Amino acid sequence: MLKPLKIGDVTLPVPVVQGGMGVGVSLSGLAGAVAACGGMGIISTAQIGYRDRDFDKDPLGCNLRVMKEEIDKARKIAGTYGNPFTQPEEKREKSTDMQKSGMIGVNIMVATKRYEDYVKAAVAAGADIIISGAGLPMSLPELIGDAEIKLAPIVSSLKSVQVIMKYWLKKYGRLPDMVVAEGPLAGGHLGFTRDQLADIAGLHYEEELIKIIRHVRECGERYHKEIPVVAAGGIYTREDAERYFALGVSGVQMATRFVTTYECDASEAYKQMYIKAKKEDIVIVKSPVGMPGRAISNEFLKRAEKGQIPHGKCHNCIITCQPKETPYCITDALVNAVKGDVENGLVFCGTNAYRAEKMEHVEDIMKEFRPGT
């Protein structure tokens, strides 16, 4: 049975975290709509300033500046929409109440160059929560200082959550406010090897998830803190979510389901790639940043398999990227796709992208996951 998601002093009416999707797929439009409906809207900070005219000259400066702009816009969207579950029908579009019903947060990859600058910018911009993965966010508590912002590491194994919690306790005297346990069915960059992804059933990931939940719960009880575990990867319907709730999670993170919404910040062509995709079109690719990823097969990926695709100036995105050796620029590839040039871009997706058959409104998806319905 689905229940509201409690994160410290905040309770989300709908236990849904919208996954951060970069570049530019989850910005203020999507995050604001999810928060308006009682969930957690997440803005991806990955090359968030890509639309700025100065991006090629100063990507870092643009990204840090645009982060605050997107967070502010998301809050306005959430306030304008109002909460469709608590407001009368006639007031839904007219509400000017700026008190959000959900939360607005950011996803910052640990592998991002100048990671510390992004974290500090998120704090200064007033984000409610920082979700951080693509590496272990060991220094995250130190970077936020005394700011009252919630922290949620993304983990894929019991070992990783043990390492993070032990280190945070010893070094900073604190624990996460939420833990996102991301499994092998997720989209984008994945915390598993290519060999592991070739035999997902053999991973028995639900057993690993149960171990993560148990460790987080026991650690929280020891230090008198309730820490929710949110399951991520492969969750598309309420039935999917209920299966994970039965295992003991407190919420679910979804990304793929939200791509084919009218409110999603990606181009129409990007969304149509999902709607047109068949199950066999979803493939595991080797990303230029050294991690496997899940994407929709297209002409771009076929060219990338044959050799290096020429690229211009480095945009300083990921610390593991070697510009002279990379088969293609991942920033260029993701920007092309989100703008609509999908045959010359990388279209990341989750394992269930082929299940998308039509465009939806965020409000309708959130109704599906509302507790008590």
Side-chain angles (χ1 to χ4, degrees):
M1 178 183 293
L2 306 190
K3 298 181 294 185
L5 174 57
K6 189 175 186 301
I7 311 164
D9 57 348
V10 176
T11 299
L12 298 179
V14 184
V16 169
V17 176
Q18 164 251 308
M21 294 173 282
V23 169
V25 179
S26 65
L27 297 176
S28 56
L30 178 56
V34 171
C37 295
M40 184 186 294
I42 298 296
I43 295 168
S44 169
T45 65
Q47 304 296 52
I48 191 172
Y50 78 96
R51 293 178 295 192
D52 193 280
R53 64 183 181 182
D54 294 326
F55 179 71
D56 287 334
K57 293 188 295 184
D58 180 21
L60 176 64
C62 288
N63 289 339
L64 299 182
R65 181 179 71 255
V66 172
M67 191 191 310
K68 176 169 174 49
E69 294 172 4
E70 289 295 322
I71 290 173
D72 288 346
K73 286 192 288 186
R75 291 209 186 282
K76 290 179 181 178
I77 290 169
T80 301
Y81 279 30
N83 183 344
F85 302 134
T86 61
Q87 293 197 1
E89 183 75 27
E90 64 272 17
K91 292 185 178 180
R92 290 185 186 179
E93 298 298 328
K94 300 178 181 179
S95 173
T96 57
D97 182 5
M98 293 302 294
Q99 183 176 356
K100 59 190 181 305
S101 57
M103 296 173 71
I104 299 291
V106 295
N107 180 295
I108 309 176
M109 296 187 296
V110 177
T112 303
K113 285 186 178 179
R114 305 285 290 271
Y115 174 72
E116 63 278 3
D117 292 325
Y118 284 82
V119 170
K120 291 174 182 177
V123 171
D128 296 323
I129 187 168
I130 294 173
I131 296 178
S132 195
L136 301 183
M138 307 303 282
S139 63
L140 188 53
E142 180 180 1
L143 295 174
I144 68 162
D146 296 327
E148 293 186 4
I149 185 170
K150 291 177 169 52
L151 304 179
I154 299 175
V155 302
S156 294
S157 67
L158 172 63
K159 183 177 180 180
S160 57
V161 76
Q162 287 173 329
V163 169
I164 291 170
M165 296 179 80
K166 183 178 180 179
Y167 187 84
W168 282 18
L169 275 169
K170 183 177 180 180
K171 184 85 172 180
Y172 309 113
R174 71 162 295 165
L175 289 167
D177 298 288
M178 182 178 83
V179 171
V180 178
E182 188 173 272
L185 301 179
H189 290 121
L190 303 165
F192 299 86
T193 67
R194 199 178 183 100
D195 288 343
Q196 288 176 319
L197 295 170
D199 182 20
I200 291 176
L203 287 174
H204 302 289
Y205 191 73
E206 289 190 358
E207 296 176 14
E208 189 74 3
L209 176 60
I210 291 170
K211 292 176 183 177
I212 292 171
I213 295 167
R214 183 183 301 124
H215 177 75
V216 172
R217 182 180 296 142
E218 290 174 353
C219 196
E221 289 174 352
R222 193 177 310 130
Y223 294 94
H224 310 291
K225 180 173 184 175
E226 187 176 348
I227 307 169
V229 174
V230 170
I235 298 155
Y236 199 84
T237 63
R238 182 181 180 116
E239 183 180 4
D240 296 332
E242 288 177 340
R243 188 177 75 253
Y244 281 103
F245 266 78
L247 296 177
V249 304
S250 300
V252 292
Q253 177 175 289
M254 299 191 305
T256 293
R257 179 75 184 271
F258 286 114
V259 170
T260 50
T261 60
Y262 296 100
E263 296 85 356
C264 176
D265 299 273
S267 66
E268 180 65 20
Y270 192 101
K271 299 172 186 181
Q272 287 301 317
M273 282 288 285
Y274 277 55
I275 291 174
K276 295 175 183 177
K278 297 180 175 61
K279 191 172 185 178
E280 57 268 26
D281 295 329
I282 299 170
V283 296
I284 300 297
V285 300
K286 182 180 179 181
S287 164
V289 303
M291 294 179 265
R294 183 171 278 112
I296 298 176
S297 180
N298 61 358
E299 288 302 317
F300 174 81
L301 287 178
K302 293 174 184 176
R303 292 199 305 272
E305 288 178 359
K306 296 178 180 178
Q308 189 176 52
I309 296 177
H311 55 85
K313 181 181 177 182
C314 178
H315 293 91
N316 294 309
C317 57
I318 302 294
I319 58 177
T320 54
C321 183
Q322 301 295 325
K324 292 182 180 180
E325 302 173 8
T326 182
Y328 57 87
C329 172
I330 193 165
T331 288
D332 288 347
L334 291 171
V335 167
N336 285 345
V338 78
K339 285 183 174 181
D341 188 5
V342 292
E343 291 306 321
N344 289 297
L346 177 61
V347 183
F348 273 148
C349 70
T351 191
N352 285 315
Y354 73 94
R355 296 172 71 178
E357 297 178 344
K358 62 181 180 179
M359 294 293 292
E360 299 180 273
H361 282 290
V362 164
E363 181 178 339
D364 293 327
I365 293 173
M366 296 298 280
K367 281 181 179 178
E368 179 182 332
F369 290 85
R370 184 186 179 190
T373 58

